[in-house]
């Protein structure tokens, strides 16, 4: 199998609704990512896009977003209702399966068109749990409480994570009220609209202008049960499974980008990785300050690759998650030449 | 770089129904998946990864149902991918599954696709109510009616073509125990006199609203060697084009033609009309049969499609049988419908299609379509290892 590298990426986030639709969010980042890679849209063989029509509030928004993508003449294009990191996984698979040499993984989300917490509550069992209206914050708060009860962390620990990611003062955050005890607003990601694009190339198609391709050593992703009551919420078993498959426990990582929509989940992912050394954690700032739903996980992989593309780091890991309480987790291990 | 070979080693589907009120979403997918595993003589623990295909999440009102269905699909602790890309989700899911095997990442992949339209309003959930567009209540049928009219305009097809193609699929559906719509006494006159919906599409030209699921187990060569009757994937492809592109032709979309050309090339097929023994095509309205035949190179582009239908060439005992299962007119659980076409193609190769088996099938085409005639997935399966 040919090696595959990240050769370009870009992202955008709109913290306040700014009127851009899906295609307008996606188009510029696709151009920027291809520009960074030194490739044209015509050279893209495989497109894997991701988003959520439910979040955007209109069926068929996926079709409208296609207008922003290299699409004529027709090509291999698959769309997932998921975070873009899973589109990147599929793009990597399709390149290794011999379906092409250059792939574009991209994602977009415009949750400002709907009530994101209400929509995400629809991920739960529609017969028994959904009618209760349990949104992501309620479930994440149960998880954070369980971690505090086991002694893994305190509310102050969570505030310290939030303060570090947001550049704010710990004491000031602790003085704020809970939104879902023990979580405060600062512990919850700032859900917003946005888009991301990552360009992948097989070894023979990496542009000469790309001096430091970020080689994908491996990607592994694992699912857990949707039934919160049947999981030990204080550990991320699926992240651990993926980390084991990639040989991460005990290893040295220069840059780690964690997709943790709630501050305590950063601890869960780091615990599950079991890395021997993490040089830089979330140099992008992570998702607490800006969380463009459906693009956030792909941004983490782009940001991890960025450290290799720009030089200065050798080994980077991007993490992405989907579902309540870290139900579905993906790890992407990247290395410089 | 040589992709790993891939074979279909297990096939299962549900008895499709307009409202499967006896099962939950989990029960529905589980029924198809368990039949596929039983057919493959494999246990849940022997599956390495899963792909779940389905249409818009609006159909059931559950966001990202692969999360909810993790346990029903035996997916806990395993990699899972969701396929969508519109109504051809089932076909794309199969293509993703083939890629997971071809990339050398997994030995056995379970591909499941479903739709449970009775959970919500099927036509209602495909309506786009955009704030900047005039309100219209036509659903997808109103668009496809216009496409059929354009086909008639270009090809000179006579009015009875839609009736003949519908009669053929409805009679075939009677031979398929999994089909939902069964009208034993159906006549050409009844179809021709049925209620007009979107000219030229009439009620009995149309596929129903359905609940249903389908599953296939895909295996790499070492695993397939332990299977009694592997059906080999000789070609697999996905092609998509932007539906608002000025170049997009709804009647003869380039993405469909190129998707077909790709799977024929992979399978070493130069004369698909003679080298394929049967085709399961995505025909949601009977008028699409002649259109798709021309688009995928199974008939001449000057009206060869409708002439094949009129001549009976696509009948179950014709020169190139199309949709011996009854196709989408028998059942259309949208997200599963593409995978059902793929699975039926494999059943035909294996000789296991029962009363709707075509004699001597060595090679078959499975075809899925979606969006606004702009999204396609296809595979060619055969008895011979590629």
């Amino acid at each position: 199998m040919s090696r595959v590298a990240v050769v370009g990426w870009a992202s955008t986030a709109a913290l306040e609704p700014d009127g851009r639709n899906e295609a307008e969010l996606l188009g510029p980042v696709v151009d920027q990512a291809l520009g960074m890679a030194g490739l044209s849209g015509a050279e893209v063989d495989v497109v894997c896009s991701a988003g959520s029509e439910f979040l955007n509030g209109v069926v068929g928004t996926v079709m409208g977003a296609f207008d922003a993508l290299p699409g004529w003449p027709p090509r291999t294009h698959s769309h997932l209702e998921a975070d873009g990191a899973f589109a990147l996984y599929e793009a990597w698979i399709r390149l290794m399966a011999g379906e092409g040499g250059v792939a574009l993984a991209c994602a977009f989300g415009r949750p400002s068109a709907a009530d994101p917490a209400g929509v995400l509550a629809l991920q739960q069992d529609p017969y028994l749990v959904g009618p209760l209206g349990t949104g992501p914050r309620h479930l994440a708060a149960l998880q954070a409480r369980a971690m505090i009860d086991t002694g893994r962390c305190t509310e102050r620990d969570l505030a310290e994570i939030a303060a570090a990611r947001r550049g704010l003062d710990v004491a000031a955050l602790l003085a704020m009220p809970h939104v879902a005890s023990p979580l405060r607003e600062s512990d919850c990601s700032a859900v917003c609209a946005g888009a991301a694009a990552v360009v992948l190339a097989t070894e023979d198609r990496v542009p000469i202008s790309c001096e430091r391709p970020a080689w994908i050593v491996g990607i592994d992703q694992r699912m857990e049960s949707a039934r919160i009551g049947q999981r030990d919420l204080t550990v991320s078993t699926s992240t651990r499974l993926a980390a084991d498959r990639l040989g991460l426990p005990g290893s040295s990582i220069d840059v780690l980008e964690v997709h943790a929509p709630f501050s305590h989940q950063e601890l869960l992912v780091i615990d599950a990785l079991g890395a021997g050394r993490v040089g830089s954690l979330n140099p992008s700032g992570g998702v607490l300050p800006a969380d463009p739903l459906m693009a956030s996980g792909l941004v983490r992989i782009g940001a991890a690759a960025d450290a290799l593309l720009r030089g200065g780091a050798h080994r980077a890991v991007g993490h992405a998650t989907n579902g309540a309480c870290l139900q579905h987790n993906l790890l992407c291990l990247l290395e410089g030449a | 770089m040589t992709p790993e070979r891939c074979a279909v080693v297990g096939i299962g589907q549900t008895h499709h129904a307009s409202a499967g009120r006896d099962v939950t979403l989990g029960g529905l997918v589980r029924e198809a998946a368990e039949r596929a595993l039983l057919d493959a003589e494999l246990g849940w623990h022997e599956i390495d990864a899963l792909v779940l295909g389905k249409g818009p999440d609006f159909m059931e009102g559950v966001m990202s149902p692969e999360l909810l269905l993790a346990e029903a699909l035996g997916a806990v602790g395993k990699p899972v991918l969701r396929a969508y890309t519109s109504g051809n989700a089932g076909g794309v899911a199969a293509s993703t599954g083939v890629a997971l095997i071809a990339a050398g990442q997994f030995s056995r992949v379970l591909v499941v696709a479903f739709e449970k339209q009775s959970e919500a309003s099927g036509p209602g959930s495909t309506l786009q109510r955009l704030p900047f567009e005039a309100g219209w209540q036509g659903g997808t049928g109103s668009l496809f009616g216009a496409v059929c009219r354009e086909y008639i305009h270009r090809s000179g097809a006579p009015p009875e073509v839609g009736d003949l193609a519908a009669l053929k699929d409805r009679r075939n559906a009677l031979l398929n125990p999994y089909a939902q719509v069964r009208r034993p006494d159906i006549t050409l006159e009844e179809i021709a006199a049925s209620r007009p919906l979107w000219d030229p599409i009439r009620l009995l030209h149309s596929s129903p609203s359905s609940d249903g699921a389908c599953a296939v187990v895909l295996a790499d060569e070492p695993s397939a060697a332990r299977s009694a009757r592997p059906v080999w994937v000789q070609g697999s492809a996905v092609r998509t084009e932007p539906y608002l592109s000025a170049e997009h032709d709804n009647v003869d979309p380039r993405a469909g033609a190129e998707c077909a050309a790709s799977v024929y090339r992979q399978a070493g097929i130069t004369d698909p009309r003679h080298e394929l023994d049967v085709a399961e095509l995505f025909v949601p309205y009977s008028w699409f049969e002649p259109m798709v035949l021309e688009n995928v190179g199974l008939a001449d582009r000057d009206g060869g499609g409708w002439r094949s239908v009129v001549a009976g060439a696509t009948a179950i005992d014709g020169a190139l049988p199309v949709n011996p299962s009854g196709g989408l007119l028998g059942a259309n659980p949208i997200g599963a419908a593409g995978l059902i076409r793929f699975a039926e193609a494999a059943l035909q190769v294996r000789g296991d299609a029962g009363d709707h088996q075509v004699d001597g099938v060595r090679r078959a085409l499975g075809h899925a379509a979606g969006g606004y005639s702009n999204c396609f997935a296809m595979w060619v399966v055969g008895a011979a290892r590629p």
Side-chain angles (χ1 to χ4, degrees), chain B residues 226-302:
Chain B
R226 295 198 289 275
S227 166
R229 292 165 301 167
V231 175
W232 294 95
V233 179
Q234 299 178 346
S236 166
V238 169
R239 289 292 184 278
T240 306
E241 67 190 45
Y243 80 106
L244 290 176
S245 165
E247 295 94 337
H248 174 53
D249 180 350
N250 274 291
V251 172
D252 190 10
R254 184 165 160 183
E258 291 189 359
C259 192
S262 175
V263 294
Y264 299 154
R265 192 167 54 245
Q266 291 172 51
I269 291 174
T270 53
D271 181 5
R273 292 178 216 184
H274 296 102
E275 293 178 71
L276 288 170
D277 300 311
V278 63
E280 279 282 342
L281 306 180
F282 201 92
V283 177
Y285 304 100
S286 58
W287 273 103
F288 271 71
E289 178 173 316
M291 245 185 289
V292 175
L293 283 171
E294 296 180 28
N295 184 236
V296 301
L298 295 177
D300 291 334
R301 280 200 155 72
D302 61 352

Side-chain angles (χ1 to χ4, degrees), chain A residues 53 76-77 79 223 225 327, chain B residues 67 71 77 84-85 95 239-240:
Chain A
E53 295 187 341
T76 300
H77 179 171
H79 180 84
M223 179 66 89
S225 170
Q327 189 189 341
Chain B
L67 298 168
E71 280 179 290
Y84 173 35
T85 335
S95 148
R239 289 292 184 278
T240 306

Side-chain angles (χ1 to χ4, degrees), chain B residues 131-159:
Chain B
F132 46 84
E133 281 188 353
W136 58 294
Q137 299 292 316
T140 52
S142 60
L143 169 82
F144 292 129
V147 175
C148 296
R149 286 200 298 280
E150 174 64 16
Y151 173 72
I152 292 168
H153 173 72
R154 288 188 201 177
S155 70

Side-chain angles (χ1 to χ4, degrees), chain A residues 42-68:
Chain A
E43 292 172 277
V44 174
D45 303 312
V46 173
V47 178
C48 292
S49 56
S52 168
E53 295 187 341
F54 239 125
L55 273 180
N56 297 346
V58 180
V59 75
T61 45
V62 41
M63 293 290 149
F66 286 5
D67 290 336

Side-chain angles (χ1 to χ4, degrees), chain A residues 116-181:
Chain A
V119 173
L120 289 165
L122 298 173
Q123 289 180 341
Q124 301 304 311
D125 179 335
Y127 309 110
L128 299 171
V129 183
L132 302 174
T134 42
R137 288 184 175 190
H138 308 119
L139 298 169
L142 290 174
Q143 186 175 40
R145 177 62 65 198
M147 288 176 72
I148 289 171
D149 287 349
T150 62
R152 173 62 187 85
C153 59
T154 62
E155 286 190 38
R156 169 167 285 275
D157 293 334
L158 304 186
E160 283 174 1
I161 292 169
R165 300 290 158 256
R166 295 169 181 275
L168 297 171
D169 177 63
V170 176
L173 293 186
L174 281 171
M176 301 295 283
H178 291 124
V179 291
S181 176

Side-chain angles (χ1 to χ4, degrees), chain B residues 107-176:
Chain B
S107 294
R108 285 172 299 270
V109 174
L110 176 64
V111 179
V112 182
F114 82 96
E115 206 73 72
K116 201 162 189 298
Q117 287 189 257
S118 66
E119 300 276 313
S121 156
S125 55
T126 59
L127 284 176
Q128 295 189 347
R129 291 196 188 85
L130 299 175
F132 46 84
E133 281 188 353
W136 58 294
Q137 299 292 316
T140 52
S142 60
L143 169 82
F144 292 129
V147 175
C148 296
R149 286 200 298 280
E150 174 64 16
Y151 173 72
I152 292 168
H153 173 72
R154 288 188 201 177
S155 70
E160 67 269 23
V161 171
D163 307 332
L164 288 165
L167 182 68
K168 184 260 299 172
D169 279 1
R170 292 193 181 284
R171 284 189 171 152
N172 287 349
L174 295 170
L175 307 173
N176 177 1

